[in-house]
Amino acid sequence: MKKHISTIIAILVFITGLSLLLYPTVSNYWNSKHQTAVVANYTDTLAKMDDKDKQAAIDAAAAYNETLLSNAGRFTPGDSELSLYKSLLNADGTGMMGYITIPEIHCKLAIYHSVDDSVLQVGVGHLEGSSLPVGGSSTHCVISGHRGLPSARLFTDIDRLEKGDLFYLHVYGKVLAYEVDKISVVEPEDYGPLEIEEGKDLCTLLTCTPYGINTQRLMVRGHRVVDSLYDESNITSDAARVDTLVVASCVGIVLLLVGIIVSKIWRLKRHEKNNS
């Protein structure tokens, strides 16, 4: 009896360890499939839109960006400002304004309004008060994302980017290319590097650093360039976090099934032994 109990415990421990080892791989695969679907749905929505409607949405976003130039408190918007902000570039009603591709780290992520935690668990967020991602003179768009989530890469690898690397914003059918020209580490309350610079078209990717400690902020800034060689065919999607409760439930079900199978095998062998 003790021997069988030891065997059952060993099997359960093995299954548990295997599940923990496979969790990052499985969750990243799930994230990739989910994000691919999200981007595909966004693309389908835009394909059904009239070109005039898409241009009107871009023009409205550009007009909003102009108002930011004289708004000293733009990073702390009021309720009415937030309401207007969230109504812009919201083609499918999900809050997704576009997506970003970063070829150097094989990354494709949905861009949502705001940097609320609920947003940053499923993609990357556009920082309220920064320019909307439609480009133009005297604009500075800021895209923020998490690093180091156990179940999603998100912006985990952007520390690998170097000056000269390119990333792309896909918004309402437009592709905006940015070339990395500045990489800096600042304190969380330092918004200075995110200010709009007259005449420049900028975009900054923002995340926490050092990895796993998150006491500072890593900023990877790019300036707008013309790039005709873009190809996203080999860029994978990665974003939505798999809920830990879902994973735990799945692991629990697997362990329960293994336990039932082992128990039945043990009872069968015991029955055969008694009969013999």
Side-chain angles (χ1 to χ4, degrees):
M1 182 66 179
K2 292 183 178 180
K3 180 179 179 181
H4 290 302
I5 292 176
S6 299
T7 301
I8 293 173
I9 293 175
I11 292 174
L12 293 178
V13 170
F14 172 77
I15 295 297
T16 302
L18 182 62
S19 299
L20 292 174
L21 287 173
L22 291 177
Y23 172 67
T25 301
V26 173
S27 62
N28 276 329
Y29 173 77
W30 175 271
N31 296 334
S32 178
K33 298 294 288 185
H34 171 86
Q35 190 63 10
T36 297
V38 168
V39 171
N41 289 338
Y42 172 81
T43 303
D44 289 343
T45 299
L46 291 182
K48 298 173 183 177
M49 289 183 64
D50 185 88
D51 287 342
K52 291 182 178 180
D53 292 336
K54 285 188 282 190
Q55 187 58 51
I58 292 174
D59 291 342
Y64 170 85
N65 287 343
E66 290 183 9
T67 68
L68 298 178
L69 297 175
S70 58
N71 187 352
R74 61 194 181 94
F75 288 119
T76 55
D79 291 341
S80 60
E81 292 174 310
L82 280 176
S83 179
L84 171 62
Y85 160 72
K86 291 183 178 181
S87 70
L88 299 169
L89 300 182
N90 193 3
D92 57 4
T94 65
M96 180 178 172
M97 59 175 65
Y99 63 97
I100 180 173
T101 52
I102 313 175
E104 187 65 27
I105 57 176
H106 306 287
C107 186
K108 181 190 294 183
L109 296 163
I111 303 172
Y112 294 94
H113 290 76
S114 86
V115 291
D116 293 342
D117 190 59
S118 59
V119 167
L120 298 184
Q121 296 293 335
V122 298
V124 293
H126 170 266
L127 180 63
E128 307 97 310
S130 73
S131 305
L132 289 168
V134 293
S137 179
S138 300
T139 60
H140 193 162
C141 173
V142 181
I143 307 297
S144 179
H146 278 319
R147 297 179 75 206
L149 291 183
S151 54
R153 288 183 9 244
L154 299 174
F155 268 180
T156 294
D157 297 329
I158 69 167
D159 61 330
R160 291 167 42 195
L161 295 179
E162 300 176 349
K163 290 182 179 180
D165 288 338
L166 296 172
F167 60 89
Y168 303 84
L169 305 183
H170 305 251
V171 181
Y172 275 68
K174 294 180 62 177
V175 180
L176 287 67
Y178 290 85
E179 180 181 321
V180 176
D181 59 17
K182 185 178 181 181
I183 300 173
S184 55
V185 174
V186 303
E187 297 304 315
E189 63 277 4
D190 186 1
Y191 284 81
L194 304 180
E195 292 296 335
I196 297 171
E197 298 184 25
E198 185 176 356
K200 294 185 178 181
D201 185 338
L202 304 173
C203 181
T204 292
L205 309 182
L206 173 67
T207 191
C208 295
T209 196
Y211 183 85
I213 300 176
N214 304 334
T215 55
Q216 296 175 298
R217 300 294 179 263
L218 172 64
M219 296 183 179
V220 179
R221 193 189 77 172
H223 64 274
R224 179 90 175 273
V225 296
V226 177
D227 178 64
S228 59
L229 302 178
Y230 174 74
D231 177 15
E232 64 174 303
S233 60
N234 66 339
I235 301 177
T236 57
S237 300
D238 176 37
R241 183 179 183 179
V242 179
D243 195 318
T244 303
L245 291 177
V246 173
V247 176
S249 299
C250 293
V251 172
I253 292 172
V254 171
L255 294 179
L256 178 61
L257 292 175
V258 171
I260 292 173
I261 293 172
V262 171
S263 177
K264 285 184 176 296
I265 293 174
W266 176 73
R267 288 179 180 177
L268 180 61
K269 287 185 176 181
R270 184 179 180 183
H271 180 71
E272 292 175 349
K273 183 178 180 180
N274 289 337
N275 288 340
S276 63

